[in-house]
């Protein structure tokens, strides 16, 4: 589906891509910092530059590939369900063990660590951004072009905001649920077994997806916190 550059739908989708990148890319700043912490100040800047460049290039290739194959029957259904799980997991308390990222005293060792770690952590971002692009390659590339510099330049600030304002994480999880609901509902395989439905049904499916994510996430979060309190006592 190609969207008009001057249409409201195009810019809403761009906004969704940017917000998704902000919410799901916050950990990248931590990975970069951990991987480069043993380098000299001069090498640290070089390591961050090439590590980010390699990770971003790999992510763009993966996201474009995901967007191109997203219209295959049942693929959106699988991706949407996986995105619901990712969104719920985003709301849960972090693992106390934190990031298991090894630092390196060598420049290219740190670059390799950043690229490999970002590849492992990029599945959620790739699926979510590809879903928000609605099959439009132009929209996907434009959204990534806008959001990637934003993430690279302001990742530390974004992490600070997410820690200070937990509602950002809640809003991000709801957005992922909204995108997941629309992905599932617009899957060609799903549409093939459903009767004809009005155009606004996709938005309703998105809203239901957002509500499911928030409700399930909150319920699991309370259970985990209650279990932790019992363990402490």
């Amino acid at each position: 589906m190609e969207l008009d550059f001057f249409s409201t739908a195009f810019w809403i989708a761009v906004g969704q891509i940017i917000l998704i990148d902000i919410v799901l890319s916050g950990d990248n700043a931590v990975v970069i910092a951990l991987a480069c912490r043993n380098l000299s100040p001069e090498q640290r800047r070089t390591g961050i530059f090439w590590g980010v460049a390699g990770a971003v290039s790999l992510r763009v290739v993966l996201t474009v590939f995901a967007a191109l194959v997203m219209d295959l029957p049942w693929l959106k259904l699988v991706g949407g369900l996986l995105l619901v799980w990712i969104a719920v997991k985003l709301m849960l308390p972090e693992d106390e063990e934190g990031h298991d990222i090894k630092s390196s005293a060598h420049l290219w060792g740190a670059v390799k660590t950043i690229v490999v770690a970002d590849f492992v952590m990029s599945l959620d971002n790739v699926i979510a951004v590809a879903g928000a692009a609605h099959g439009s390659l132009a929209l996907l590339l434009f959204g990534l072009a806008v959001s990637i510099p934003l993430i690279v330049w302001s990742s530390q600030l974004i992490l600070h905001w997410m820690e200070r304002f937990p509602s950002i994480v809640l809003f991000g999880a709801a957005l992922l649920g909204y995108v997941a609901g629309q992905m599932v509902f617009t899957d060609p395989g799903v549409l093939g077994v459903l009767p004809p439905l009005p155009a606004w049904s996709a938005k309703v499916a998105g809203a239901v997806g957002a509500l499911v994510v928030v409700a399930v996430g909150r319920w699991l979060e309370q259970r985990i916190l209650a279990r932790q309190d019992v363990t402490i006592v």
Side-chain angles (χ1 to χ4, degrees):
M1 179 181 67
E2 293 296 329
L3 299 178
D4 183 5
F5 182 83
F6 297 101
S7 68
T8 303
F10 180 93
W11 290 104
I12 290 176
V14 169
Q16 288 181 344
I17 290 173
I18 293 173
L19 288 172
I20 287 169
D21 270 328
I22 288 174
V23 171
L24 292 182
S25 296
D27 281 352
N28 289 59
V30 178
V31 170
I32 292 169
L34 291 174
C36 296
R37 67 184 182 273
N38 287 337
L39 297 177
S40 65
E42 294 79 12
Q43 285 189 321
R44 191 174 302 162
R45 286 190 292 269
T46 305
I48 290 174
F49 174 81
W50 287 111
V52 169
V56 165
S57 300
L58 182 61
R59 180 174 299 192
V60 169
V61 171
L62 291 174
T63 308
V64 170
F65 174 76
L68 291 176
V69 302
M70 194 63 77
D71 285 334
L72 295 177
W74 309 113
L75 195 58
K76 279 188 177 181
L77 173 63
V78 175
L81 295 176
L82 182 58
L83 194 55
V84 168
W85 175 77
I86 291 168
V88 170
K89 189 178 179 183
L90 183 67
M91 296 178 60
L92 302 183
E94 294 184 1
D95 188 348
E96 294 181 358
E97 296 181 359
H99 297 270
D100 185 19
I101 302 296
K102 295 181 180 179
S103 61
S104 175
H106 304 285
L107 174 62
W108 295 111
V111 171
K112 184 184 72 173
T113 298
I114 294 171
V115 174
V116 171
D118 187 84
F119 174 77
V120 173
M121 297 165 57
S122 289
L123 179 61
D124 53 359
N125 189 282
V126 167
I127 293 173
V129 171
H134 303 290
S136 171
L137 187 58
L139 173 59
L140 174 68
L141 294 176
F142 184 83
L144 287 175
V146 172
S147 60
I148 286 173
L150 177 66
I151 298 301
V152 172
W153 294 333
S154 59
S155 54
Q156 293 288 352
L157 182 60
I158 291 167
L159 278 174
H160 175 70
W161 283 349
M162 292 175 70
E163 291 174 356
R164 185 174 180 183
F165 305 106
S167 57
I168 295 178
V169 177
L170 178 63
F171 177 79
L175 174 61
L176 293 177
Y178 183 86
V179 172
Q182 288 196 322
M183 284 175 65
V184 171
F185 191 82
T186 57
D187 183 281
V190 174
L191 291 176
V193 299
L194 293 176
L197 295 171
W200 47 262
S201 300
K203 293 182 179 179
V204 173
V208 170
L211 290 174
V212 168
V213 164
V214 172
V216 174
R218 283 296 192 194
W219 178 67
L220 290 176
E221 180 185 23
Q222 294 302 319
R223 289 195 61 182
I224 292 173
L225 292 176
R227 192 182 306 123
Q228 290 176 348
D229 290 341
V230 171
T231 303
I232 293 174
V233 173

